[in-house]
Amino acid sequence: GENVEQHPSTLSVQEGDSAVIKCTYSDSASNYFPWYKQELGKGPQLIIDIRSNVGEKKDQRIAVTLNKTAKHFSLHITETQPEDSAVYFCAASGGNTPLVFGKGTRLSVIA
Amino acid sequence: DGGITQSPKYLFRKEGQNVTLSCEQNLNHDAMYWYRQDPGQGLRLIYYSQIVNDFQKGDIAEGYSVSREKKESFPLTVTSAQKNPTAFYLCASSIGYNTGELFFGEGSRLTVL
């Protein structure tokens, strides 16, 4: 089955700097790659997703890139703000298999 | 407001007791899911239901049971057979199975005393 590895597990950046979180997946049949943000005591919320027919997608300060050949995808957050502090999860799915999540990255933005 | 409601938010139980966590959605979604979250472990799938009256085991189904008698409801029972039940449980739904965004509830934290 699918296996998703996520790095780093924790990340601290200064306010205004960029943050990058990377994930790799194992199943070449996977074709959907979402990113979720979880704030303290709440459920995760989708922030951006990408499908396998696209190499990059942007939404204001966040972007996701996908390299299907290398089986990895990344989340980029530019001009980080304190409210970006949260736990971020990547995930992958394809065909008839449910989403498989990475173990999460705790991002701290230091003002 | 449309969304997913989980209850209770906090629950304590003694060892050997079964407990049922409630999950209700008013989004008219066909698919519903239960995940377990432990520190440093990410989200692991317990059970999922593609449509009413149907459900399948996820990666860590042992010691859990579910039912899907109504489209809007997907309760999870944590049985005494679950060896390490203390965790944060998240319910989610999507328009269809594997059709995109999952909408999560705010979770239920179960502590076994």
Side-chain angles (χ1 to χ4, degrees):
Chain A
E2 176 65 273
N3 181 50
V4 177
E5 299 284 341
Q6 182 172 347
H7 299 281
S9 57
T10 60
L11 179 60
S12 292
V13 299
Q14 293 289 330
E15 183 178 359
D17 287 350
S18 295
V20 180
I21 303 170
K22 298 182 179 182
C23 290
T24 61
Y25 62 98
S26 61
D27 189 350
S28 57
S30 288
N31 57 13
Y32 176 62
F33 308 92
W35 286 87
Y36 284 81
K37 175 184 180 181
Q38 185 179 28
E39 297 178 347
L40 194 62
K42 296 192 174 183
Q45 279 194 304
L46 180 72
I47 55 171
I48 195 167
D49 57 11
I50 192 168
R51 295 192 182 271
S52 59
N53 57 344
V54 176
E56 183 176 3
K57 185 176 178 181
K58 289 183 180 179
D59 183 4
Q60 300 183 343
R61 294 186 297 109
I62 60 173
V64 58
T65 59
L66 171 65
N67 183 328
K68 284 221 76 180
T69 303
K71 293 192 200 140
H72 66 72
F73 56 113
S74 300
L75 177 71
H76 304 253
I77 306 174
T78 59
E79 301 171 21
T80 53
Q81 301 167 3
E83 52 265 37
D84 294 329
S85 296
V87 179
Y88 292 81
F89 293 97
C90 63
S93 75
N96 203 32
T97 57
L99 268 179
V100 175
F101 285 84
K103 293 187 176 182
T105 296
R106 182 173 298 278
L107 173 64
S108 299
V109 179
I110 304 164
Chain B
D1 281 13
I4 298 185
T5 302
Q6 289 187 240
S7 62
K9 195 170 180 68
Y10 299 96
L11 186 60
F12 298 88
R13 82 152 213 225
K14 294 181 180 179
E15 280 192 32
Q17 290 180 335
N18 291 356
V19 61
T20 297
L21 307 180
S22 170
C23 177
E24 302 278 330
Q25 54 101 355
N26 61 4
L27 300 168
N28 200 34
H29 286 173
D30 280 324
M32 297 187 74
Y33 313 79
W34 274 105
Y35 288 90
R36 170 178 171 144
Q37 185 173 17
D38 297 284
Q41 294 296 315
L43 305 176
R44 293 182 291 169
L45 184 64
I46 304 172
Y47 268 98
Y48 63 100
S49 168
Q50 299 185 40
I51 201 164
V52 67
N53 291 323
D54 180 68
F55 51 83
Q56 288 82 34
K57 294 181 179 180
D59 299 320
I60 56 166
E62 186 175 352
Y64 300 97
S65 66
V66 294
S67 63
R68 186 88 189 276
E69 297 175 1
K70 298 187 295 182
K71 186 176 185 177
E72 58 269 24
S73 179
F74 192 40
L76 174 74
T77 297
V78 185
T79 75
S80 56
Q82 168 50 233
K83 299 302 181 190
N84 186 19
T86 294
F88 189 56
Y89 292 89
L90 285 161
C91 180
S93 72
S94 60
I95 292 174
Y97 175 64
N98 267 3
T99 55
E101 183 175 2
L102 293 183
F103 292 80
F104 284 88
E106 295 212 327
S108 294
R109 185 167 298 280
L110 171 64
T111 302
V112 175
L113 304 173

